[in-house]
Amino acid sequence: MKLLCMDTATNIASVAVVEENKVLGEINLNFKNNHSAIIMDMVIDILKTLSLSLDDIHGFVVSKGPGSFTGLRIGISTIKGLCHGLNKPFVGVSSLDALAISAMHFNGIIAPIINALSENVYTCFFKNIDGALNKITDYMFISIYELHKLLNAGDDILFIGDAVDNYGDALKKLFPCCILGNSLFNYTKASNLGYMGIKAFKEGCLDDIATFSPLYIKKSYVEDKFKI
């Protein structure tokens, strides 16, 4: 089973093709945040490089968020279009889950944080329990300065995600013992989505193209301003 995976939730545009326990190829671009103009070219390029066509792809995986509202809509609408045109299944995976899975062997609290601007982050806390990644909180939209109400300063905490670049100094003051992820862990990758997507496909936990929508967590600026 080959899955084509796409992540446009953050500044990174990422496309990968995965099989079980194998990444066949991946392209990651962090350039001008111009996802709508480049994402299909990335799909075409990776398929050409791997000598594959869309007919060889069994299904699709896409980041469902949280993240950039515009970025999420670009990725999800692209995957929905491909699924509709090819009559193939897909699954959405949380960008926070995809970040956490890359650090699942950390023996402490794994706290992926995605920048939500104005010193706010999207987050969810995870722990490795008996070799499996477990979500121990709901998905949240929260100020970085409110995190201390949910985490103890002395806990073993790993912060990963693009918000580490923005708020790393503040996090170190709040949690002196925490570990801050480096660039290997701080960006969501389509291959991480694929790792979780393979499991969802095997379990038959697929999404419905008609009802699937992004995981925004918070309202958009317009919705909040006009109380929609």
Side-chain angles (χ1 to χ4, degrees):
M1 179 170 58
K2 294 182 178 67
L3 300 180
L4 191 146
C5 315
M6 182 181 296
D7 190 342
T8 56
T10 65
N11 289 338
I12 304 292
S14 182
V15 174
V17 177
V18 302
E19 285 184 329
E20 186 173 358
N21 299 322
K22 183 188 294 185
V23 179
L24 298 182
E26 184 169 40
I27 300 173
N28 299 298
L29 295 178
N30 186 7
F31 181 69
K32 293 185 178 180
N33 198 19
N34 196 19
H35 298 345
S36 61
I38 64 176
I39 199 66
M40 276 309 300
D41 286 338
M42 293 171 67
V43 170
I44 292 168
D45 287 346
I46 196 166
L47 290 174
K48 182 178 179 180
T49 300
L50 295 172
S51 298
L52 298 173
S53 72
L54 285 171
D55 290 335
D56 298 312
I57 301 299
H58 297 91
F60 300 88
V61 186
V62 66
S63 173
K64 66 180 181 181
S68 159
F69 284 22
T70 300
L72 290 171
R73 286 192 288 267
I74 290 168
I76 290 170
S77 62
T78 301
I79 291 300
K80 280 189 172 184
L82 289 169
C83 290
H84 180 73
L86 298 164
N87 193 28
K88 293 186 178 182
F90 84 105
V91 65
V93 173
S94 166
S95 41
L96 292 168
D97 292 47
L99 277 168
I101 199 71
S102 66
M104 67 174 293
H105 297 296
F106 179 75
N107 292 318
I109 296 172
I110 304 165
I113 50 174
I114 293 175
N115 188 18
L117 305 179
S118 302
E119 299 184 326
N120 296 307
V121 296
Y122 301 112
T123 190
C124 179
F125 305 148
F126 298 79
K127 287 199 77 172
N128 182 337
I129 301 174
D130 296 328
L133 186 69
N134 284 261
K135 190 169 65 151
I136 59 174
T137 69
D138 290 331
Y139 301 116
M140 296 175 282
F141 167 75
I142 190 172
S143 163
I144 58 168
Y145 299 106
E146 296 294 305
L147 288 171
H148 73 278
K149 296 180 180 179
L150 304 173
L151 296 167
N152 296 317
D155 287 344
D156 292 329
I157 308 166
L158 171 63
F159 288 105
I160 52 176
D162 63 0
V164 170
D165 293 341
N166 301 88
Y167 309 124
D169 291 342
L171 290 169
K172 269 296 185 182
K173 289 179 182 178
L174 290 168
F175 305 99
C177 297
C178 76
I179 299 172
L180 302 180
N182 59 31
S183 58
L184 294 175
F185 297 98
N186 286 347
Y187 298 98
T188 53
K189 297 178 181 179
S191 55
N192 288 4
L193 298 176
Y195 178 89
M196 306 188 81
I198 287 284
K199 183 174 183 292
F201 265 77
K202 282 185 171 182
E203 295 173 354
C205 300
L206 305 178
D207 285 298
D208 185 336
I209 192 172
T211 59
F212 181 81
S213 59
L215 176 65
Y216 287 135
I217 299 182
K218 77 179 185 75
K219 291 184 176 182
S220 69
Y221 171 78
V222 172
E223 290 172 322
D224 189 52
K225 182 177 180 179
F226 295 102
K227 309 302 179 186
I228 297 174

